[in-house]
Amino acid sequence: MSAEGRAWRFFMKGKLIRKVEVEGFRGVKSATLADTAGINILVGKSGKSSILEAIYVALFPAQGLRYVVERHRLIDVGALFYNRSGMARIRLAFS
């Protein structure tokens, strides 16, 4: 494990994501998940993968963006944003 990975594991030990806010990322116009400390599954018609990818991007920006681009074979970076707006906001709060 890299030094960055060890530092991250130390920082996150015992912490849970308490709140997730996603705006303008991929297929999500706006979504807020509050009191998420007990959530371990997402159910719904659409947006589940986009929310999980947003969390990955927020936690590990370079790796997360690389994953999203490769997974969806994106050629145009505009496809990362809802309606190609060019702006996205991802916020995580921890307990």
Side-chain angles (χ1 to χ4, degrees):
M1 180 181 292
S2 70
E4 180 182 271
R6 285 190 300 274
W8 180 253
R9 181 177 261 177
F10 176 77
F11 171 75
M12 291 302 298
K13 188 173 185 173
K15 294 188 180 187
L16 299 173
I17 297 174
R18 185 173 44 85
K19 186 175 183 179
V20 178
E21 295 178 16
V22 180
E23 291 182 24
F25 182 75
R26 298 202 358 91
V28 179
K29 181 177 182 181
S30 180
T32 299
L33 303 174
D35 299 321
T36 58
I39 292 178
N40 59 14
I41 187 169
L42 296 176
V43 178
K45 192 171 185 177
S46 64
K48 300 175 298 295
S49 293
S50 293
I51 289 172
L52 292 173
E53 289 170 353
I55 293 169
Y56 188 21
V57 168
L59 294 174
F60 304 99
Q63 287 176 280
L65 286 171
R66 188 177 318 115
Y67 171 80
V68 173
V69 167
E70 290 175 2
R71 180 175 186 263
H72 299 287
R73 297 185 178 116
L74 302 179
I75 297 170
D76 177 14
V77 78
L80 287 170
F81 307 105
Y82 184 81
N83 283 344
R84 299 185 169 279
S85 67
M87 292 186 65
R89 183 172 77 176
I90 304 165
R91 287 182 164 176
L92 304 178
F94 298 92
S95 61

